[in-house]
């Protein structure tokens, strides 16, 4: 199988998405970062768009087959209708969804974003636009971090990197301890 096809298929998966396909394509296969970026973004956009367009048809089909699923999808539909009545501005919802998808952490990808858009009652065009911006943001961040990792690893040794990470952890921990009482979690 061609390497770029493997990167494309990897970006389609719900767990890894482009958070794995970009570093894998650049670091393991040594492919052109721009090509990996483009293929990963395209691959990562396909599943959420399909989810947005076909969720209703799939839920209707499954509701016919199972009483439990029928009750679940009715509950979900009622919840979605209630969410539509909330007074959030559309642009704030769009920004929040894009930011959620754009932060490259586990379970914050385009698949989850598409489901959130359905649950929050987004219009399909707004959801697609927000998902596109979020995927683009995540792809840029992952590509930059991957390339930065290459530069750091080629110019620094393991102990220096370990020291930097330890310092960052300690400073973050001290910052948290100092301001923990002022921030209510």
């Amino acid at each position: 199988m061609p390497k770029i096809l493997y990167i494309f298929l990897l970006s389609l998966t719900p767990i890894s998405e482009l958070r794995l396909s970009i570093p894998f394509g650049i670091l393991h296969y040594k492919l052109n970062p721009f090509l990996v970026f483009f293929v990963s973004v395209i691959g990562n956009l396909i599943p959420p768009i399909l989810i947005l367009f076909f969720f209703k048809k799939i839920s209707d089909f499954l509701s016919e087959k199972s009483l439990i699923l029928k009750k679940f999808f009715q509950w979900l539909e009622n919840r979605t209708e209630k969410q539509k009545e909330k007074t959030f501005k559309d642009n704030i919802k769009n920004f929040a969804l894009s930011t959620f998808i754009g932060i490259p952490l586990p379970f914050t990808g385009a698949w989850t974003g598409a489901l959130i858009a359905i649950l929050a009652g987004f219009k399909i065009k707004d959801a697609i636009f927000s998902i596109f911006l979020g995927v683009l943001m995540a792809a840029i961040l992952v590509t930059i971090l991957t390339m930065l990792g290459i530069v750091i690893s080629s110019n620094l040794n393991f102990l220096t990197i370990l020291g930097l990470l330890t310092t960052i952890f300690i400073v973050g921990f001290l910052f948290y301890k100092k301001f923990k009482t002022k921030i209510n979690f």
Side-chain angles (χ1 to χ4, degrees):
M1 176 165 41
K3 295 175 183 176
I4 201 67
L5 179 60
Y6 187 73
I7 297 304
F8 177 76
L9 294 174
L10 196 58
S11 68
L12 291 171
T13 60
I15 302 295
S16 64
E17 299 186 11
L18 58 72
R19 289 146 178 79
L20 180 62
S21 67
I22 290 175
F24 198 77
I26 294 171
L27 298 173
H28 182 68
Y29 284 144
K30 310 276 192 244
L31 295 171
N32 180 335
F34 294 109
L35 178 64
V36 171
F37 177 90
F38 179 74
V39 169
S40 294
V41 167
I42 297 299
N44 199 195
L45 285 173
I46 292 171
I49 291 172
L50 293 175
I51 289 170
L52 290 171
F53 281 109
F54 295 111
F55 182 80
K56 180 71 173 146
K57 291 179 183 178
I58 292 170
S59 67
D60 289 345
F61 173 77
L62 293 175
S63 293
E64 292 174 7
K65 303 295 179 192
S66 167
L67 183 60
I68 294 170
L69 289 176
K70 182 177 183 174
K71 288 182 180 182
F72 170 74
F73 287 122
Q74 283 176 345
W75 169 82
L76 191 62
E77 192 173 318
N78 291 337
R79 186 182 186 292
T80 303
E81 288 302 318
K82 288 179 186 174
Q83 288 294 95
K84 285 181 183 177
E85 296 171 6
K86 289 194 175 180
T87 59
F88 287 114
K89 302 277 186 212
D90 282 342
N91 55 356
I92 293 172
K93 284 175 35 176
N94 293 341
F95 175 76
L97 183 62
S98 294
T99 304
F100 175 81
I101 295 168
I103 297 170
L105 294 171
F107 305 109
T108 63
W111 285 69
T112 308
L115 294 175
I116 289 172
I118 291 168
L119 291 174
F122 275 68
K123 296 174 188 166
I124 288 184
K125 76 172 190 168
D126 290 342
I128 290 173
F129 182 71
S130 297
I131 290 169
F132 173 74
L133 287 180
V135 166
L136 201 57
M137 188 184 332
I140 291 169
L141 284 171
V142 170
T143 305
I144 288 171
L145 290 173
T146 302
M147 298 307 290
L148 186 62
I150 292 171
V151 170
I152 289 173
S153 68
S154 64
N155 294 319
L156 300 174
N157 63 22
F158 175 75
L159 291 177
T160 307
I161 294 170
L162 185 62
L164 285 171
L165 291 176
T166 305
T167 304
I168 291 169
F169 175 76
I170 291 171
V171 168
F173 180 75
L174 293 174
F175 180 81
Y176 170 75
K177 282 294 206 182
K178 180 173 176 140
F179 295 104
K180 162 172 111 167
T181 57
K182 295 180 184 178
I183 302 171
N184 293 326
F185 285 109

